[in-house]
Amino acid sequence: MSDWLEVVERIEPLDGIELDANLVGQMQQKFAQVSGEGVGRVNFYTPTFKAFASSEITGCGKSAWPAVSITGGDCKLQCDHCKAKILEPMIAARSPEDLWRVVNEQINGGAQGMLLTGGSNHRNEVEYDDYYATIRRIKDSFPEFKIAMHTALVDMDIARRMEDSGIDAAMMDVIGSKDTITQVYHLRRSVDDFERTLEYLVSTKLKVVPHIVIGLHYGHLLGEWNALEMIQRHLPQAVVLVVVMPFYAPENRPFVTPDSGEVGRFFMDARAALPDTPLLLGCARPPGRTKVEIDSYAVMAGLNGLAHPSDGMVELAVRLERDVRVTPACCSIAIGDEVMAIETADAGLQVDIQKVIEHERMKRPAVAATGSLGGIKVVMAGPPEAVGGCCS
């Protein structure tokens, strides 16, 4: 195989990015050695290939995976990276009756599932107690409707109640630094509390998909490797990696943009530590050139999925001889697949491969000489009407 840096130099959209040569070399060497289940496959969740479908894809999938908050925009913690602003655009369901009404409305509008969350109390607990019976009613009435719940911290009793309610996926942030818990989250809990929560959730029959927020300590990597070790001890069904985007950080506690090389090194270590666990790069990561560099490292490190990849990532993956699949998806569908860690079946809607190749050749004539984009498998998550075309 060609030197990976030389491969990058041949891809026009990657012109101008700066990658760590030593790190890229290590990734190339390690990728050749890792033999875990599915490591060679990468799935891109992107709307950019929708024009090549063999049948028309219409409508917008923005409502396919609505986010619902049981506290509206309220949160007691007011973490420095969020300040509860992430909750504000969500659909509020401040009572069990509201949740039942919201779910019925969303299903009537074509929703396939929802992200259920809420603001935390001062112990980083989302108070779902009054909602479990309604969640069970939703699952009994609409068994195909998927519910992914942000759990926050739980004990064993709560984990079992979540399991009994019928939710499909449990999500939590795994934090490996006491300083980050105290300073960023304003929380008087320990690292052990986060590990116990993961242990309790994994002991149930729930699909558990923990998140590691890279750069959570004001843009610096601090407890991420410890979080990775915690996950190794309590293996979940999948892991989502995201990179902090502190748009709402207070001026007196600013975040820096995480170094893309450090992020890439963590990707490499995560892949080596979890060779048989699907690793997904979520939507959240800094924009611009940093995003392109981070995405490049994700492809090289062997991550299994990228939501909304930068231009050039499909070509990079193909040139690196990875098994590439592209899932045309609007934002909400990609988020749904991210948190549920759904592997798209080969039986999905196929697209016209030749048209994809011709399109790429028109954009970058140099590709024509190699034909390296042949064989891209493009499939669709869900029925055609659920995949929107408004996000490109």
Side-chain angles (χ1 to χ4, degrees), residues 154-156 172 189-202 230 234:
V154 303
D155 59 22
M156 191 66 243
M172 62 166 294
R189 299 293 291 263
S190 68
V191 171
D192 288 343
D193 288 328
F194 284 83
E195 180 162 5
R196 276 193 289 268
T197 289
L198 180 61
E199 179 183 5
Y200 296 149
L201 291 172
V202 168
M230 292 156 62
H234 312 284

Side-chain angles (χ1 to χ4, degrees), residues 159-285:
R160 290 197 180 106
R161 293 189 70 185
M162 290 177 172
E163 178 184 27
D164 292 342
S165 74
I167 66 170
D168 298 277
M171 304 178 300
M172 62 166 294
D173 292 341
V174 181
I175 305 176
S177 165
K178 175 63 173 176
D179 286 345
T180 302
I181 294 169
T182 303
Q183 297 171 28
V184 179
Y185 269 51
H186 311 150
L187 184 63
R188 295 180 179 177
R189 299 293 291 263
S190 68
V191 171
D192 288 343
D193 288 328
F194 284 83
E195 180 162 5
R196 276 193 289 268
T197 289
L198 180 61
E199 179 183 5
Y200 296 149
L201 291 172
V202 168
S203 71
T204 69
K205 296 178 181 179
L206 292 169
K207 180 186 289 291
V208 182
V209 188
H211 289 52
I212 297 178
V213 183
I214 302 170
L216 184 57
H217 196 85
Y218 301 104
H220 303 287
L221 278 71
L222 185 60
E224 285 81 351
W225 280 271
N226 191 31
L228 184 59
E229 291 177 2
M230 292 156 62
I231 291 174
Q232 279 185 289
R233 290 193 287 268
H234 312 284
L235 288 175
Q237 280 72 29
V239 177
V240 174
L241 306 176
V242 296
V243 185
V244 73
M245 298 177 65
F247 294 136
Y248 308 110
E251 292 183 3
N252 63 332
R253 300 179 78 87
F255 282 67
V256 299
T257 300
D259 178 77
S260 61
E262 281 194 86
V263 174
R265 187 166 297 281
F266 184 76
F267 289 164
M268 180 178 67
D269 292 345
R271 179 74 285 168
L274 302 168
D276 297 313
T277 303
L279 290 177
L280 311 172
L281 179 59
C283 298
R285 47 204 191 271

